[in-house]
Amino acid sequence: MSLNLNAYLGIEPDALKVYAQRSEVLAANLANADTPGYLARDIDFRAALAAAGSQGGALQQAPASAGDLTAASASASASASNVSTQQFLKYRVPLAPSLDGNTVDSQLEESKFAQNTVRFQAALTFLQSRFRELTTAIVGQ
Amino acid sequence: MALFNIFNIAGSGMSAESVRLNTVASNLANADSVSSSPGAAYKARYPVFQAIQASLMSPGVGADPTTQAADAAVQVRGIVQSTAPGSARYEPGNPLADAHGYVYSSNVNVVEQMADMISASRSYQDDAQVLETSKSLMLDTLKLAQG
């Protein structure tokens, strides 16, 4: 019996991908904080993560019989790694519109970025403990 | 990879803000420059920022945000000169004075430049912080399952 690593690691790898892409969007907002006419955007995290989970094998149960099913789950995880959060981008509703048409609120973007970072690190910590469990199982002490 | 792209995006923001700081420094340094004709007087310079992805610029109401890529770095499109009128001062003793004894000073508004400088340095700090955070996230990811 082989271990399905995707199923074992759970949702965290998908979450990491979405967090990484979200941090990219937030970094773009901050870089364009002074660009006239720039519209701030963010990722609809719930929808993005749900899509990432349903496309890959992360949220599905591991197949009962391994063997010939490993190829199928491998291709499913390959499509999951290519999952794009492009379709989940949304414009942020500005709290205080500015005269030059820019909708970036630096403080808001900074706090979202910090929040995203902490969540990224939390996901990393979960993954870390998963790997530690595996190591314990392999070493056996 | 998304995290690598942040280095480009935040880097573009930092270089754009440093151009802005450069223009502020140039404007402040020349705030008291005088000249013998209004046309030759120093004019305040301002950078024009533009998102590198042009489709992000004012797409209008109801535009679809999902049709644009997630990354949008910033670039300095060009430097414009202020068209605000400068002031003329009566200084007959000045070697640069014209036939009527007037010198023409720059149109730099020092208070506005100071505010611009603070805004630019805050934005630069934001970008530097983003860079620093992304770097530590990547290093954390590299260390995954190593200890």
Side-chain angles (χ1 to χ4, degrees), chain A residues 9 11 13 17 22 31 40 46-47 50 59 65 77 99-100 118 122-123 125 127-128 141:
Chain A
L9 292 178
I11 202 170
K17 273 175 220 145
R22 183 166 183 228
R46 183 189 297 268
L59 287 181
S65 66
S77 69
L99 210 55
D100 63 358
V118 171
T125 312
L127 270 181
Q128 183 84 37
Q141 53 183 332

PDB file of all heavy atoms in Angstrom, chain A residues 9 11 13 17 22 31 40 46-47 50 59 65 77 99-100 118 122-123 125 127-128 141:
ATOM      1  N   LEU A   9      -1.431  15.296   3.192  1.00  0.00           N
ATOM      2  CA  LEU A   9      -1.115  16.684   3.547  1.00  0.00           C
ATOM      3  C   LEU A   9      -2.361  17.550   3.666  1.00  0.00           C
ATOM      4  O   LEU A   9      -2.302  18.640   4.228  1.00  0.00           O
ATOM      5  CB  LEU A   9      -0.148  17.288   2.520  1.00  0.00           C
ATOM      6  CG  LEU A   9       1.240  16.675   2.529  1.00  0.00           C
ATOM      7  CD1 LEU A   9       2.111  17.299   1.457  1.00  0.00           C
ATOM      8  CD2 LEU A   9       1.895  16.833   3.889  1.00  0.00           C
ATOM      9  N   ILE A  11      -5.472  20.060   2.972  1.00  0.00           N
ATOM     10  CA  ILE A  11      -5.779  21.261   2.203  1.00  0.00           C
ATOM     11  C   ILE A  11      -4.639  22.269   2.232  1.00  0.00           C
ATOM     12  O   ILE A  11      -4.611  23.222   1.453  1.00  0.00           O
ATOM     13  CB  ILE A  11      -7.078  21.880   2.753  1.00  0.00           C
ATOM     14  CG1 ILE A  11      -7.725  22.773   1.700  1.00  0.00           C
ATOM     15  CG2 ILE A  11      -6.830  22.624   4.044  1.00  0.00           C
ATOM     16  CD1 ILE A  11      -9.097  23.219   2.080  1.00  0.00           C
ATOM     17  N   PRO A  13      -1.374  22.478   1.273  1.00  0.00           N
ATOM     18  CA  PRO A  13      -0.611  22.892   0.084  1.00  0.00           C
ATOM     19  C   PRO A  13      -1.415  23.804  -0.842  1.00  0.00           C
ATOM     20  O   PRO A  13      -0.883  24.776  -1.371  1.00  0.00           O
ATOM     21  CB  PRO A  13      -0.277  21.571  -0.606  1.00  0.00           C
ATOM     22  CG  PRO A  13      -0.347  20.563   0.465  1.00  0.00           C
ATOM     23  CD  PRO A  13      -1.425  21.025   1.392  1.00  0.00           C
ATOM     24  N   LYS A  17      -0.710  27.857  -1.859  1.00  0.00           N
ATOM     25  CA  LYS A  17      -0.674  28.423  -3.210  1.00  0.00           C
ATOM     26  C   LYS A  17      -1.544  29.666  -3.291  1.00  0.00           C
ATOM     27  O   LYS A  17      -1.155  30.685  -3.865  1.00  0.00           O
ATOM     28  CB  LYS A  17      -1.155  27.386  -4.220  1.00  0.00           C
ATOM     29  CG  LYS A  17      -0.060  26.479  -4.720  1.00  0.00           C
ATOM     30  CD  LYS A  17      -0.650  25.411  -5.615  1.00  0.00           C
ATOM     31  CE  LYS A  17       0.026  24.083  -5.355  1.00  0.00           C
ATOM     32  NZ  LYS A  17      -0.892  22.943  -5.488  1.00  0.00           N
ATOM     33  N   ARG A  22      -2.295  35.477  -3.368  1.00  0.00           N
ATOM     34  CA  ARG A  22      -2.940  36.654  -2.774  1.00  0.00           C
ATOM     35  C   ARG A  22      -1.887  37.676  -2.366  1.00  0.00           C
ATOM     36  O   ARG A  22      -2.079  38.878  -2.538  1.00  0.00           O
ATOM     37  CB  ARG A  22      -3.766  36.225  -1.564  1.00  0.00           C
ATOM     38  CG  ARG A  22      -4.505  37.375  -0.975  1.00  0.00           C
ATOM     39  CD  ARG A  22      -5.592  36.967   0.000  1.00  0.00           C
ATOM     40  NE  ARG A  22      -6.281  38.154   0.439  1.00  0.00           N
ATOM     41  CZ  ARG A  22      -6.552  38.434   1.713  1.00  0.00           C
ATOM     42  NH1 ARG A  22      -6.194  37.587   2.650  1.00  0.00           N
ATOM     43  NH2 ARG A  22      -7.175  39.535   2.030  1.00  0.00           N
ATOM     44  N   ALA A  31       2.427  48.442  -4.464  1.00  0.00           N
ATOM     45  CA  ALA A  31       3.376  49.060  -5.401  1.00  0.00           C
ATOM     46  C   ALA A  31       2.704  50.176  -6.187  1.00  0.00           C
ATOM     47  O   ALA A  31       3.338  51.153  -6.561  1.00  0.00           O
ATOM     48  CB  ALA A  31       3.942  48.020  -6.356  1.00  0.00           C
ATOM     49  N   ALA A  40      -7.571  48.958  -6.812  1.00  0.00           N
ATOM     50  CA  ALA A  40      -7.068  47.894  -5.942  1.00  0.00           C
ATOM     51  C   ALA A  40      -7.897  46.632  -6.125  1.00  0.00           C
ATOM     52  O   ALA A  40      -9.100  46.689  -6.342  1.00  0.00           O
ATOM     53  CB  ALA A  40      -7.114  48.352  -4.492  1.00  0.00           C
ATOM     54  N   ARG A  46     -12.272  32.365  -0.293  1.00  0.00           N
ATOM     55  CA  ARG A  46     -13.121  31.192  -0.099  1.00  0.00           C
ATOM     56  C   ARG A  46     -13.327  30.440  -1.416  1.00  0.00           C
ATOM     57  O   ARG A  46     -13.130  29.227  -1.496  1.00  0.00           O
ATOM     58  CB  ARG A  46     -14.471  31.635   0.482  1.00  0.00           C
ATOM     59  CG  ARG A  46     -15.412  30.482   0.798  1.00  0.00           C
ATOM     60  CD  ARG A  46     -16.771  31.036   1.150  1.00  0.00           C
ATOM     61  NE  ARG A  46     -16.728  31.867   2.346  1.00  0.00           N
ATOM     62  CZ  ARG A  46     -16.938  31.395   3.581  1.00  0.00           C
ATOM     63  NH1 ARG A  46     -17.192  30.122   3.756  1.00  0.00           N
ATOM     64  NH2 ARG A  46     -16.898  32.200   4.617  1.00  0.00           N
ATOM     65  N   ALA A  47     -13.690  31.219  -2.459  1.00  0.00           N
ATOM     66  CA  ALA A  47     -13.961  30.598  -3.760  1.00  0.00           C
ATOM     67  C   ALA A  47     -12.690  29.987  -4.345  1.00  0.00           C
ATOM     68  O   ALA A  47     -12.718  28.881  -4.900  1.00  0.00           O
ATOM     69  CB  ALA A  47     -14.535  31.639  -4.718  1.00  0.00           C
ATOM     70  N   ALA A  50     -11.813  26.805  -2.473  1.00  0.00           N
ATOM     71  CA  ALA A  50     -12.777  25.745  -2.794  1.00  0.00           C
ATOM     72  C   ALA A  50     -12.466  25.154  -4.163  1.00  0.00           C
ATOM     73  O   ALA A  50     -12.473  23.935  -4.348  1.00  0.00           O
ATOM     74  CB  ALA A  50     -14.195  26.303  -2.770  1.00  0.00           C
ATOM     75  N   LEU A  59      -8.909  17.435  -1.258  1.00  0.00           N
ATOM     76  CA  LEU A  59     -10.083  17.306  -0.408  1.00  0.00           C
ATOM     77  C   LEU A  59     -10.771  15.958  -0.581  1.00  0.00           C
ATOM     78  O   LEU A  59     -11.714  15.640   0.120  1.00  0.00           O
ATOM     79  CB  LEU A  59     -11.090  18.417  -0.721  1.00  0.00           C
ATOM     80  CG  LEU A  59     -10.683  19.793  -0.223  1.00  0.00           C
ATOM     81  CD1 LEU A  59     -11.754  20.800  -0.555  1.00  0.00           C
ATOM     82  CD2 LEU A  59     -10.431  19.766   1.263  1.00  0.00           C
ATOM     83  N   SER A  65      -8.056   1.294  -3.536  1.00  0.00           N
ATOM     84  CA  SER A  65      -7.030   0.458  -4.143  1.00  0.00           C
ATOM     85  C   SER A  65      -6.051   1.370  -4.863  1.00  0.00           C
ATOM     86  O   SER A  65      -6.449   2.191  -5.684  1.00  0.00           O
ATOM     87  CB  SER A  65      -7.661  -0.518  -5.141  1.00  0.00           C
ATOM     88  OG  SER A  65      -8.210   0.195  -6.222  1.00  0.00           O
ATOM     89  N   SER A  77      -3.451  15.981  -9.298  1.00  0.00           N
ATOM     90  CA  SER A  77      -2.655  16.927  -8.518  1.00  0.00           C
ATOM     91  C   SER A  77      -1.868  17.849  -9.437  1.00  0.00           C
ATOM     92  O   SER A  77      -1.587  18.986  -9.081  1.00  0.00           O
ATOM     93  CB  SER A  77      -1.702  16.171  -7.590  1.00  0.00           C
ATOM     94  OG  SER A  77      -0.727  15.525  -8.361  1.00  0.00           O
ATOM     95  N   LEU A  99      -9.274  61.695  -5.502  1.00  0.00           N
ATOM     96  CA  LEU A  99      -9.540  62.520  -6.683  1.00  0.00           C
ATOM     97  C   LEU A  99      -8.894  61.954  -7.943  1.00  0.00           C
ATOM     98  O   LEU A  99      -9.409  62.115  -9.040  1.00  0.00           O
ATOM     99  CB  LEU A  99      -9.014  63.931  -6.410  1.00  0.00           C
ATOM    100  CG  LEU A  99      -9.736  65.077  -7.097  1.00  0.00           C
ATOM    101  CD1 LEU A  99     -11.221  65.026  -6.775  1.00  0.00           C
ATOM    102  CD2 LEU A  99      -9.140  66.402  -6.651  1.00  0.00           C
ATOM    103  N   ASP A 100      -7.738  61.261  -7.795  1.00  0.00           N
ATOM    104  CA  ASP A 100      -7.043  60.767  -8.983  1.00  0.00           C
ATOM    105  C   ASP A 100      -7.517  59.387  -9.421  1.00  0.00           C
ATOM    106  O   ASP A 100      -6.919  58.779 -10.295  1.00  0.00           O
ATOM    107  CB  ASP A 100      -5.522  60.768  -8.744  1.00  0.00           C
ATOM    108  CG  ASP A 100      -5.107  59.826  -7.626  1.00  0.00           C
ATOM    109  OD1 ASP A 100      -5.996  59.219  -7.021  1.00  0.00           O
ATOM    110  OD2 ASP A 100      -3.900  59.697  -7.361  1.00  0.00           O
ATOM    111  N   VAL A 118       0.559  35.904   8.189  1.00  0.00           N
ATOM    112  CA  VAL A 118       0.379  35.057   9.369  1.00  0.00           C
ATOM    113  C   VAL A 118      -0.303  33.751   8.975  1.00  0.00           C
ATOM    114  O   VAL A 118       0.088  32.665   9.433  1.00  0.00           O
ATOM    115  CB  VAL A 118      -0.442  35.811  10.432  1.00  0.00           C
ATOM    116  CG1 VAL A 118      -0.821  34.885  11.558  1.00  0.00           C
ATOM    117  CG2 VAL A 118       0.331  36.991  10.952  1.00  0.00           C
ATOM    118  N   ALA A 122       0.972  29.985   9.318  1.00  0.00           N
ATOM    119  CA  ALA A 122       0.195  28.967  10.025  1.00  0.00           C
ATOM    120  C   ALA A 122       0.089  27.700   9.184  1.00  0.00           C
ATOM    121  O   ALA A 122       0.297  26.585   9.667  1.00  0.00           O
ATOM    122  CB  ALA A 122      -1.187  29.513  10.351  1.00  0.00           C
ATOM    123  N   ALA A 123      -0.203  27.897   7.871  1.00  0.00           N
ATOM    124  CA  ALA A 123      -0.291  26.747   6.973  1.00  0.00           C
ATOM    125  C   ALA A 123       1.042  26.012   6.919  1.00  0.00           C
ATOM    126  O   ALA A 123       1.090  24.776   6.912  1.00  0.00           O
ATOM    127  CB  ALA A 123      -0.719  27.208   5.583  1.00  0.00           C
ATOM    128  N   THR A 125       3.241  25.901   9.287  1.00  0.00           N
ATOM    129  CA  THR A 125       3.430  25.185  10.549  1.00  0.00           C
ATOM    130  C   THR A 125       2.665  23.867  10.547  1.00  0.00           C
ATOM    131  O   THR A 125       3.176  22.842  11.002  1.00  0.00           O
ATOM    132  CB  THR A 125       2.965  26.072  11.714  1.00  0.00           C
ATOM    133  OG1 THR A 125       3.537  27.356  11.552  1.00  0.00           O
ATOM    134  CG2 THR A 125       3.367  25.477  13.044  1.00  0.00           C
ATOM    135  N   LEU A 127       1.871  22.117   7.911  1.00  0.00           N
ATOM    136  CA  LEU A 127       2.591  21.212   7.006  1.00  0.00           C
ATOM    137  C   LEU A 127       3.816  20.639   7.701  1.00  0.00           C
ATOM    138  O   LEU A 127       4.118  19.449   7.589  1.00  0.00           O
ATOM    139  CB  LEU A 127       3.019  21.980   5.757  1.00  0.00           C
ATOM    140  CG  LEU A 127       2.034  22.001   4.604  1.00  0.00           C
ATOM    141  CD1 LEU A 127       2.613  22.780   3.443  1.00  0.00           C
ATOM    142  CD2 LEU A 127       1.704  20.593   4.153  1.00  0.00           C
ATOM    143  N   GLN A 128       4.517  21.522   8.411  1.00  0.00           N
ATOM    144  CA  GLN A 128       5.726  21.114   9.128  1.00  0.00           C
ATOM    145  C   GLN A 128       5.422  19.968  10.089  1.00  0.00           C
ATOM    146  O   GLN A 128       6.145  18.967  10.137  1.00  0.00           O
ATOM    147  CB  GLN A 128       6.261  22.327   9.899  1.00  0.00           C
ATOM    148  CG  GLN A 128       7.564  22.091  10.637  1.00  0.00           C
ATOM    149  CD  GLN A 128       8.750  22.263   9.709  1.00  0.00           C
ATOM    150  OE1 GLN A 128       8.726  23.132   8.840  1.00  0.00           O
ATOM    151  NE2 GLN A 128       9.749  21.443   9.868  1.00  0.00           N
ATOM    152  N   GLN A 141      10.942   6.202  16.197  1.00  0.00           N
ATOM    153  CA  GLN A 141      11.305   6.456  17.593  1.00  0.00           C
ATOM    154  C   GLN A 141      11.038   7.907  17.965  1.00  0.00           C
ATOM    155  O   GLN A 141      10.898   8.745  17.110  1.00  0.00           O
ATOM    156  CB  GLN A 141      12.759   6.116  17.855  1.00  0.00           C
ATOM    157  CG  GLN A 141      13.729   6.802  16.886  1.00  0.00           C
ATOM    158  CD  GLN A 141      15.145   6.385  17.117  1.00  0.00           C
ATOM    159  OE1 GLN A 141      15.533   6.033  18.226  1.00  0.00           O
ATOM    160  NE2 GLN A 141      15.960   6.406  16.085  1.00  0.00           N
TER     161      GLN A 141
END
